[in-house]
Amino acid sequence: MIAAPTDAPGERIEVGVLIVGGGPGGLACALRLGQLLEERPDVAERLGEVPVALVDKGKQPGSHLLSGAVMNPRALRRLFRGRPEQLAAVPTYGEVPGEGVYLLTRRRALRIPPPPTLRNHGNWIVSISQMARTLAEQAEAGGTFILPETSAERLLVEHGRVAGVRTGDKGRGKEGEPLGNFEPGSDIVAKVTVLAEGTAGHLTYAAIDHFGLHGREPQMWELGVKEVWRVARPLDKIVHTLGWPLRKRAAYREFGGSWIYPMGEEMVSIGFVIGLDYRDLELSAHDLLQEFKTHPFVRRILEGGERLAWGAKTITSGGWHALPRKLNAPGLLLVGESAGLVDLARLKGVHLAIESGRLAAEAAFRSLERGESPGRIGVFDSYDEELRGGYVGQSLRQVRNMRQAFEKGFFVGGALASAMTVTKGKLPPKEFHNERNDAVPLLRSGRAARYPVPDGALTFDKLSSVFASGNRTRDDQPNHVRIERRVPRDVAEMWAWMCPAQVYEVGDELGDGTVEVRMTPSNCVQCGAISARGGRLTPPEGGSGPEYTLT
């Protein structure tokens, strides 16, 4: 994952600033750089023919993006300060019209006062994939060269500094052999490289390992599965739920909940999130969502409706404790979820990604001015200081122990979370610790017996859901998922239940308590869950994976 450039100097693609990832953080970085270079054409001229380039492995920016999403517009307003027409062009479903938080039992929904962290007055309801497509158009208009369907396979490091990326080959067969349409990858070299890969980024973790940037605590993840429905009746508020179908006992370590957000009068977004530190090997985020939809409260919202789209994605949840020691290295900046910038307590990450992208652009621009060098050690330290000292760092520090508190169970965790909220993180006085998701011991309780049988109307199986994601992966391309193929049966079963896209299957017994794991990697929607529980997701061929349009 780390290599020196291999193309001859004359064959390399040279750019000024290279951004990896077309999510909110990467696009905000591109947009801000465009603004700064417009004001300083002398700097733009020194950067050559392509001052700013952005690579994205999806068919287009937005294709691999999935979020709830209720977004705090604060960062977007800062990004477009003095440019009201660009802000107005961002597609939204309006401000949050009202909100309700419910504690669910199997048959009942008890409305409870929204905790301060779930109050969303003034926030916007958006489709993150739609928003990204618009931001990408604006970035291109501002001078960014966007390369879609381009995976970043290796981080190029030369003379101790990041020099760009190597893009992945296209047109290889299952065994790696070149096919008739084979296209080799290329070295893209840059003065500054910005990693905005999102959750469980392939190059991000290579950079963290190589430059020794590991945070104080290990990173943690949640897994969210989402559907978009056309509904018969408009929903007049956003909804969050706690409780059922999760179990409250600390022994199960089932942390999570749901959302239901209106998307105009005709659609709703519905999703379920589960922490990937759960213990029951039969727990399945996809099947929890299907079970959740059978609750009378939820069924009434969806009754007479039709499922339009489905998707799945991991969410970074280690918070303040898991932030990299530094968010930069010589020639390199980390933004958004690549840097772990998610406030899970408030269910917010989009505005933190946008703010970090803006600040990264300003730091990159300063390093490119005369008398400076992007390769100088410490040149980007001001980015860290601004991010940690501003509202991004302050909001993460206040809730730094909240996710970990729920490892003690629903009721104890809720009480601790309330204390943390009231005191803005000052209580309890001790710091909690993160535990690696893949270090959790497994148990078996027969949980799967409660999942509903898919009926194709309200509840759905995994394969039909993968189809609804618009998955474009070739059956005959190389396997991009790295796992041990011979593992204990419990681990294989856990992977099979965990994966929302039915990539893993328990194979033959091998006689020593282990089994063979069979795989269908072409089903993969690149959610990243396997990276949290013992494997590693790497980039597939550019243009593969889901084609999200409403998520």
mmCIF file of all heavy atoms in Angstrom, residues 115 117 242 248-250 254-255 345 399 401-421 427-428 432:
data_model
loop_
_atom_site.group_PDB
_atom_site.id
_atom_site.type_symbol
_atom_site.label_atom_id
_atom_site.label_comp_id
_atom_site.label_asym_id
_atom_site.label_seq_id
_atom_site.Cartn_x
_atom_site.Cartn_y
_atom_site.Cartn_z
ATOM 1 N N PRO A 115 -32.987 13.962 23.894
ATOM 2 C CA PRO A 115 -31.772 14.388 24.595
ATOM 3 C C PRO A 115 -31.123 15.545 23.852
ATOM 4 O O PRO A 115 -31.317 15.702 22.632
ATOM 5 C CB PRO A 115 -30.889 13.140 24.587
ATOM 6 C CG PRO A 115 -31.513 12.183 23.645
ATOM 7 C CD PRO A 115 -32.909 12.600 23.378
ATOM 8 N N THR A 117 -28.322 16.023 22.628
ATOM 9 C CA THR A 117 -27.510 15.652 21.463
ATOM 10 C C THR A 117 -28.352 15.308 20.244
ATOM 11 O O THR A 117 -27.825 15.253 19.127
ATOM 12 C CB THR A 117 -26.610 14.453 21.801
ATOM 13 O OG1 THR A 117 -27.428 13.393 22.306
ATOM 14 C CG2 THR A 117 -25.556 14.840 22.830
ATOM 15 N N LEU A 242 -34.875 4.261 20.116
ATOM 16 C CA LEU A 242 -33.956 3.495 20.944
ATOM 17 C C LEU A 242 -34.671 2.229 21.390
ATOM 18 O O LEU A 242 -35.893 2.138 21.328
ATOM 19 C CB LEU A 242 -33.547 4.315 22.176
ATOM 20 C CG LEU A 242 -33.013 5.729 21.939
ATOM 21 C CD1 LEU A 242 -32.919 6.486 23.261
ATOM 22 C CD2 LEU A 242 -31.660 5.679 21.260
ATOM 23 N N LYS A 248 -31.106 -5.068 25.864
ATOM 24 C CA LYS A 248 -30.537 -4.056 26.748
ATOM 25 C C LYS A 248 -29.414 -4.575 27.629
ATOM 26 O O LYS A 248 -28.648 -3.794 28.169
ATOM 27 C CB LYS A 248 -31.644 -3.455 27.629
ATOM 28 C CG LYS A 248 -32.758 -2.781 26.846
ATOM 29 C CD LYS A 248 -33.809 -2.214 27.774
ATOM 30 C CE LYS A 248 -34.921 -1.516 26.987
ATOM 31 N NZ LYS A 248 -35.675 -2.468 26.146
ATOM 32 N N ARG A 249 -29.295 -5.866 27.809
ATOM 33 C CA ARG A 249 -28.302 -6.412 28.737
ATOM 34 C C ARG A 249 -26.875 -6.129 28.251
ATOM 35 O O ARG A 249 -26.560 -6.271 27.068
ATOM 36 C CB ARG A 249 -28.495 -7.913 28.906
ATOM 37 C CG ARG A 249 -29.681 -8.297 29.766
ATOM 38 C CD ARG A 249 -29.822 -9.804 29.841
ATOM 39 N NE ARG A 249 -28.565 -10.456 30.226
ATOM 40 C CZ ARG A 249 -28.325 -11.748 30.052
ATOM 41 N NH1 ARG A 249 -29.249 -12.529 29.483
ATOM 42 N NH2 ARG A 249 -27.167 -12.265 30.435
ATOM 43 N N ALA A 250 -26.004 -5.769 29.213
ATOM 44 C CA ALA A 250 -24.620 -5.431 28.871
ATOM 45 C C ALA A 250 -23.889 -6.613 28.236
ATOM 46 O O ALA A 250 -22.961 -6.420 27.435
ATOM 47 C CB ALA A 250 -23.884 -4.957 30.119
ATOM 48 N N GLU A 254 -25.175 -4.543 22.641
ATOM 49 C CA GLU A 254 -25.912 -4.107 21.448
ATOM 50 C C GLU A 254 -26.222 -2.622 21.575
ATOM 51 O O GLU A 254 -27.177 -2.213 22.244
ATOM 52 C CB GLU A 254 -27.179 -4.941 21.277
ATOM 53 C CG GLU A 254 -26.843 -6.390 20.962
ATOM 54 C CD GLU A 254 -28.058 -7.278 20.776
ATOM 55 O OE1 GLU A 254 -29.194 -6.761 20.797
ATOM 56 O OE2 GLU A 254 -27.869 -8.494 20.604
ATOM 57 N N PHE A 255 -25.407 -1.816 20.937
ATOM 58 C CA PHE A 255 -25.556 -0.365 20.956
ATOM 59 C C PHE A 255 -26.027 0.083 19.579
ATOM 60 O O PHE A 255 -25.437 -0.292 18.556
ATOM 61 C CB PHE A 255 -24.211 0.299 21.276
ATOM 62 C CG PHE A 255 -24.215 1.792 21.088
ATOM 63 C CD1 PHE A 255 -24.726 2.622 22.068
ATOM 64 C CD2 PHE A 255 -23.710 2.355 19.926
ATOM 65 C CE1 PHE A 255 -24.730 4.004 21.895
ATOM 66 C CE2 PHE A 255 -23.713 3.737 19.741
ATOM 67 C CZ PHE A 255 -24.222 4.561 20.737
ATOM 68 N N ALA A 345 -22.503 10.854 19.047
ATOM 69 C CA ALA A 345 -23.542 11.200 20.013
ATOM 70 C C ALA A 345 -24.622 12.064 19.381
ATOM 71 O O ALA A 345 -25.800 11.959 19.723
ATOM 72 C CB ALA A 345 -22.930 11.917 21.211
ATOM 73 N N VAL A 399 -18.001 14.901 23.889
ATOM 74 C CA VAL A 399 -18.701 13.606 23.884
ATOM 75 C C VAL A 399 -17.711 12.446 23.763
ATOM 76 O O VAL A 399 -18.064 11.359 23.342
ATOM 77 C CB VAL A 399 -19.738 13.550 22.729
ATOM 78 C CG1 VAL A 399 -20.796 14.615 22.916
ATOM 79 C CG2 VAL A 399 -19.063 13.708 21.359
ATOM 80 N N ASN A 401 -16.379 10.312 25.703
ATOM 81 C CA ASN A 401 -16.584 9.057 26.432
ATOM 82 C C ASN A 401 -17.982 8.478 26.249
ATOM 83 O O ASN A 401 -18.309 7.454 26.848
ATOM 84 C CB ASN A 401 -16.336 9.274 27.928
ATOM 85 C CG ASN A 401 -14.887 9.566 28.237
ATOM 86 O OD1 ASN A 401 -13.998 8.892 27.726
ATOM 87 N ND2 ASN A 401 -14.638 10.584 29.052
ATOM 88 N N MET A 402 -18.819 9.115 25.434
ATOM 89 C CA MET A 402 -20.230 8.745 25.400
ATOM 90 C C MET A 402 -20.467 7.395 24.724
ATOM 91 O O MET A 402 -21.254 6.577 25.200
ATOM 92 C CB MET A 402 -21.032 9.841 24.708
ATOM 93 C CG MET A 402 -22.504 9.827 25.077
ATOM 94 S SD MET A 402 -23.374 11.325 24.554
ATOM 95 C CE MET A 402 -22.751 12.522 25.727
ATOM 96 N N ARG A 403 -19.788 7.141 23.627
ATOM 97 C CA ARG A 403 -19.977 5.856 22.946
ATOM 98 C C ARG A 403 -19.527 4.699 23.835
ATOM 99 O O ARG A 403 -20.199 3.664 23.942
ATOM 100 C CB ARG A 403 -19.201 5.868 21.620
ATOM 101 C CG ARG A 403 -19.071 4.519 20.939
ATOM 102 C CD ARG A 403 -20.434 3.993 20.504
ATOM 103 N NE ARG A 403 -20.326 2.695 19.863
ATOM 104 C CZ ARG A 403 -20.345 1.532 20.507
ATOM 105 N NH1 ARG A 403 -20.439 1.499 21.826
ATOM 106 N NH2 ARG A 403 -20.270 0.401 19.823
ATOM 107 N N GLN A 404 -18.403 4.876 24.507
ATOM 108 C CA GLN A 404 -17.840 3.813 25.331
ATOM 109 C C GLN A 404 -18.725 3.502 26.532
ATOM 110 O O GLN A 404 -18.749 2.372 27.032
ATOM 111 C CB GLN A 404 -16.437 4.215 25.808
ATOM 112 C CG GLN A 404 -15.425 4.384 24.686
ATOM 113 C CD GLN A 404 -15.474 5.757 24.034
ATOM 114 O OE1 GLN A 404 -16.428 6.511 24.197
ATOM 115 N NE2 GLN A 404 -14.442 6.077 23.282
ATOM 116 N N ALA A 405 -19.476 4.511 27.019
ATOM 117 C CA ALA A 405 -20.311 4.303 28.203
ATOM 118 C C ALA A 405 -21.353 3.212 27.976
ATOM 119 O O ALA A 405 -21.728 2.490 28.906
ATOM 120 C CB ALA A 405 -21.001 5.617 28.580
ATOM 121 N N PHE A 406 -21.826 3.063 26.747
ATOM 122 C CA PHE A 406 -22.897 2.109 26.477
ATOM 123 C C PHE A 406 -22.406 0.662 26.440
ATOM 124 O O PHE A 406 -23.216 -0.249 26.324
ATOM 125 C CB PHE A 406 -23.620 2.481 25.188
ATOM 126 C CG PHE A 406 -24.597 3.616 25.378
ATOM 127 C CD1 PHE A 406 -24.198 4.920 25.187
ATOM 128 C CD2 PHE A 406 -25.886 3.355 25.799
ATOM 129 C CE1 PHE A 406 -25.090 5.967 25.382
ATOM 130 C CE2 PHE A 406 -26.789 4.395 25.996
ATOM 131 C CZ PHE A 406 -26.388 5.705 25.800
ATOM 132 N N GLU A 407 -21.097 0.460 26.554
ATOM 133 C CA GLU A 407 -20.612 -0.909 26.727
ATOM 134 C C GLU A 407 -21.060 -1.479 28.075
ATOM 135 O O GLU A 407 -21.023 -2.688 28.288
ATOM 136 C CB GLU A 407 -19.078 -0.935 26.628
ATOM 137 C CG GLU A 407 -18.568 -0.606 25.225
ATOM 138 C CD GLU A 407 -17.057 -0.563 25.157
ATOM 139 O OE1 GLU A 407 -16.421 -0.893 26.181
ATOM 140 O OE2 GLU A 407 -16.518 -0.200 24.094
ATOM 141 N N LYS A 408 -21.497 -0.599 28.989
ATOM 142 C CA LYS A 408 -21.947 -1.042 30.303
ATOM 143 C C LYS A 408 -23.440 -1.370 30.318
ATOM 144 O O LYS A 408 -24.008 -1.621 31.380
ATOM 145 C CB LYS A 408 -21.638 0.044 31.338
ATOM 146 C CG LYS A 408 -20.164 0.425 31.395
ATOM 147 C CD LYS A 408 -19.896 1.523 32.394
ATOM 148 C CE LYS A 408 -18.439 1.957 32.347
ATOM 149 N NZ LYS A 408 -17.488 0.875 32.628
ATOM 150 N N GLY A 409 -24.078 -1.347 29.144
ATOM 151 C CA GLY A 409 -25.489 -1.657 29.045
ATOM 152 C C GLY A 409 -26.326 -0.415 28.785
ATOM 153 O O GLY A 409 -25.862 0.714 28.945
ATOM 154 N N PHE A 410 -27.584 -0.631 28.411
ATOM 155 C CA PHE A 410 -28.459 0.457 27.978
ATOM 156 C C PHE A 410 -28.735 1.448 29.113
ATOM 157 O O PHE A 410 -28.628 2.657 28.941
ATOM 158 C CB PHE A 410 -29.771 -0.134 27.466
ATOM 159 C CG PHE A 410 -30.763 0.888 26.998
ATOM 160 C CD1 PHE A 410 -30.657 1.455 25.737
ATOM 161 C CD2 PHE A 410 -31.816 1.298 27.814
ATOM 162 C CE1 PHE A 410 -31.573 2.396 25.296
ATOM 163 C CE2 PHE A 410 -32.734 2.242 27.379
ATOM 164 C CZ PHE A 410 -32.599 2.787 26.121
ATOM 165 N N PHE A 411 -29.071 0.948 30.293
ATOM 166 C CA PHE A 411 -29.497 1.834 31.373
ATOM 167 C C PHE A 411 -28.315 2.550 32.019
ATOM 168 O O PHE A 411 -28.354 3.766 32.226
ATOM 169 C CB PHE A 411 -30.296 1.031 32.410
ATOM 170 C CG PHE A 411 -31.589 0.489 31.870
ATOM 171 C CD1 PHE A 411 -31.740 -0.862 31.639
ATOM 172 C CD2 PHE A 411 -32.640 1.335 31.559
ATOM 173 C CE1 PHE A 411 -32.922 -1.369 31.120
ATOM 174 C CE2 PHE A 411 -33.831 0.845 31.042
ATOM 175 C CZ PHE A 411 -33.966 -0.518 30.819
ATOM 176 N N VAL A 412 -27.239 1.818 32.339
ATOM 177 C CA VAL A 412 -26.056 2.463 32.916
ATOM 178 C C VAL A 412 -25.438 3.422 31.902
ATOM 179 O O VAL A 412 -25.060 4.548 32.239
ATOM 180 C CB VAL A 412 -25.031 1.401 33.363
ATOM 181 C CG1 VAL A 412 -23.737 2.074 33.820
ATOM 182 C CG2 VAL A 412 -25.604 0.549 34.486
ATOM 183 N N GLY A 413 -25.363 2.978 30.649
ATOM 184 C CA GLY A 413 -24.823 3.842 29.610
ATOM 185 C C GLY A 413 -25.639 5.107 29.427
ATOM 186 O O GLY A 413 -25.095 6.201 29.261
ATOM 187 N N GLY A 414 -26.970 4.970 29.473
ATOM 188 C CA GLY A 414 -27.832 6.144 29.349
ATOM 189 C C GLY A 414 -27.631 7.135 30.471
ATOM 190 O O GLY A 414 -27.604 8.355 30.254
ATOM 191 N N ALA A 415 -27.466 6.622 31.698
ATOM 192 C CA ALA A 415 -27.245 7.508 32.846
ATOM 193 C C ALA A 415 -25.913 8.238 32.730
ATOM 194 O O ALA A 415 -25.811 9.453 32.975
ATOM 195 C CB ALA A 415 -27.301 6.688 34.137
ATOM 196 N N LEU A 416 -24.870 7.508 32.333
ATOM 197 C CA LEU A 416 -23.561 8.139 32.151
ATOM 198 C C LEU A 416 -23.589 9.167 31.023
ATOM 199 O O LEU A 416 -22.999 10.249 31.142
ATOM 200 C CB LEU A 416 -22.513 7.066 31.861
ATOM 201 C CG LEU A 416 -22.116 6.158 33.032
ATOM 202 C CD1 LEU A 416 -21.256 5.002 32.536
ATOM 203 C CD2 LEU A 416 -21.374 6.951 34.098
ATOM 204 N N ALA A 417 -24.274 8.823 29.943
ATOM 205 C CA ALA A 417 -24.363 9.751 28.813
ATOM 206 C C ALA A 417 -25.077 11.038 29.223
ATOM 207 O O ALA A 417 -24.703 12.135 28.792
ATOM 208 C CB ALA A 417 -25.088 9.091 27.649
ATOM 209 N N SER A 418 -26.108 10.918 30.055
ATOM 210 C CA SER A 418 -26.819 12.111 30.534
ATOM 211 C C SER A 418 -25.893 13.000 31.351
ATOM 212 O O SER A 418 -25.888 14.234 31.198
ATOM 213 C CB SER A 418 -28.024 11.697 31.379
ATOM 214 O OG SER A 418 -28.962 10.994 30.590
ATOM 215 N N ALA A 419 -25.076 12.373 32.218
ATOM 216 C CA ALA A 419 -24.130 13.148 33.021
ATOM 217 C C ALA A 419 -23.110 13.858 32.138
ATOM 218 O O ALA A 419 -22.753 15.018 32.366
ATOM 219 C CB ALA A 419 -23.427 12.243 34.031
ATOM 220 N N MET A 420 -22.655 13.173 31.117
ATOM 221 C CA MET A 420 -21.678 13.767 30.204
ATOM 222 C C MET A 420 -22.292 14.941 29.435
ATOM 223 O O MET A 420 -21.639 15.963 29.199
ATOM 224 C CB MET A 420 -21.178 12.712 29.216
ATOM 225 C CG MET A 420 -20.377 11.598 29.846
ATOM 226 S SD MET A 420 -20.008 10.289 28.631
ATOM 227 C CE MET A 420 -19.549 8.945 29.718
ATOM 228 N N THR A 421 -23.556 14.793 29.040
ATOM 229 C CA THR A 421 -24.219 15.847 28.277
ATOM 230 C C THR A 421 -24.392 17.099 29.117
ATOM 231 O O THR A 421 -24.086 18.224 28.684
ATOM 232 C CB THR A 421 -25.585 15.354 27.781
ATOM 233 O OG1 THR A 421 -25.400 14.209 26.951
ATOM 234 C CG2 THR A 421 -26.290 16.437 26.986
ATOM 235 N N LEU A 427 -17.970 15.184 33.466
ATOM 236 C CA LEU A 427 -18.281 14.017 34.292
ATOM 237 C C LEU A 427 -18.627 12.843 33.385
ATOM 238 O O LEU A 427 -19.221 13.031 32.324
ATOM 239 C CB LEU A 427 -19.457 14.317 35.233
ATOM 240 C CG LEU A 427 -19.200 15.300 36.365
ATOM 241 C CD1 LEU A 427 -20.480 15.512 37.169
ATOM 242 C CD2 LEU A 427 -18.074 14.821 37.280
ATOM 243 N N PRO A 428 -18.301 11.611 33.816
ATOM 244 C CA PRO A 428 -17.457 11.290 34.975
ATOM 245 C C PRO A 428 -16.022 11.750 34.742
ATOM 246 O O PRO A 428 -15.596 11.914 33.601
ATOM 247 C CB PRO A 428 -17.569 9.771 35.073
ATOM 248 C CG PRO A 428 -17.883 9.326 33.690
ATOM 249 C CD PRO A 428 -18.719 10.393 33.078
ATOM 250 N N PHE A 432 -12.658 6.985 29.499
ATOM 251 C CA PHE A 432 -12.999 5.623 29.118
ATOM 252 C C PHE A 432 -12.071 5.176 27.979
ATOM 253 O O PHE A 432 -11.413 5.992 27.350
ATOM 254 C CB PHE A 432 -14.458 5.531 28.683
ATOM 255 C CG PHE A 432 -15.445 5.712 29.808
ATOM 256 C CD1 PHE A 432 -15.031 6.040 31.092
ATOM 257 C CD2 PHE A 432 -16.798 5.549 29.584
ATOM 258 C CE1 PHE A 432 -15.929 6.204 32.121
ATOM 259 C CE2 PHE A 432 -17.712 5.712 30.607
ATOM 260 C CZ PHE A 432 -17.281 6.046 31.883
#
